[in-house]
Amino acid sequence: MTRLTGSALRVTVFVGENDTYRHKPLYSEIVHRAHAAGLAGASVFRGIEGFGASSLIHTSRLLSLSEDLPVAVVIVDTEERVRAFLPQLDELVTEGLVILDDCEVIRYAGRGETDAKGKKSL
């Protein structure tokens, strides 16, 4: 169970849906490595349209048949833990964009957490 409240660092990794690492989706490898590193949380968001350094627009509109849509992997933890994870992103992301943002976490607690009286907290 990870608890995180207060100042944190958010890393957002923008890659293509078809990007791979050792024949697995790159976004999945990033999430699994973040989990193995014990980071507080990671989520993957699939974009419906976007473009990057290639200037080629990728879209989910019917006529384009959803070619290599943009994907954002968002990870949040303390600055120290996120910065310790950055070398893994250097290894994985050969084409893409990595953004670091300071943020404030209001509340994060593991699911099924109980208080001192044994009641589940919300």
Side-chain angles (χ1 to χ4, degrees):
M1 170 176 48
T2 303
R3 289 177 179 260
L4 181 61
T5 302
S7 295
L9 193 62
R10 174 179 55 203
V11 59
T12 306
V13 183
F14 293 96
V15 295
E17 184 178 37
N18 293 338
D19 292 348
T20 60
Y21 178 80
R22 296 187 179 169
H23 310 291
K24 289 175 37 182
L26 177 58
Y27 60 84
S28 180
E29 182 68 19
I30 293 169
V31 168
H32 285 272
R33 286 197 186 193
H35 184 260
L39 296 176
S43 297
V44 178
F45 300 94
R46 183 178 189 221
I48 58 172
E49 190 165 31
F51 70 93
S54 71
S55 293
L56 180 63
I57 294 180
H58 302 276
T59 181
S60 64
R61 284 181 280 149
L62 212 57
L63 295 175
S64 299
L65 298 175
S66 62
E67 298 173 4
D68 197 24
L69 293 172
V71 173
V73 182
V74 180
I75 301 167
V76 177
D77 207 318
T78 63
E79 181 174 358
E80 179 182 340
R81 293 172 63 87
V82 168
R83 291 199 182 276
F85 185 69
L86 292 179
Q88 291 198 55
L89 292 179
D90 287 341
E91 174 190 343
L92 295 171
V93 181
T94 57
E95 288 187 31
L97 179 64
V98 178
I99 297 175
L100 297 174
D101 296 301
D102 291 322
C103 63
E104 184 176 348
V105 175
I106 303 299
R107 182 175 193 282
Y108 179 87
R111 294 179 187 249
E113 178 182 333
T114 57
D115 63 16
K117 296 179 184 177
K119 292 184 179 180
K120 281 192 176 188
S121 60
L122 299 175

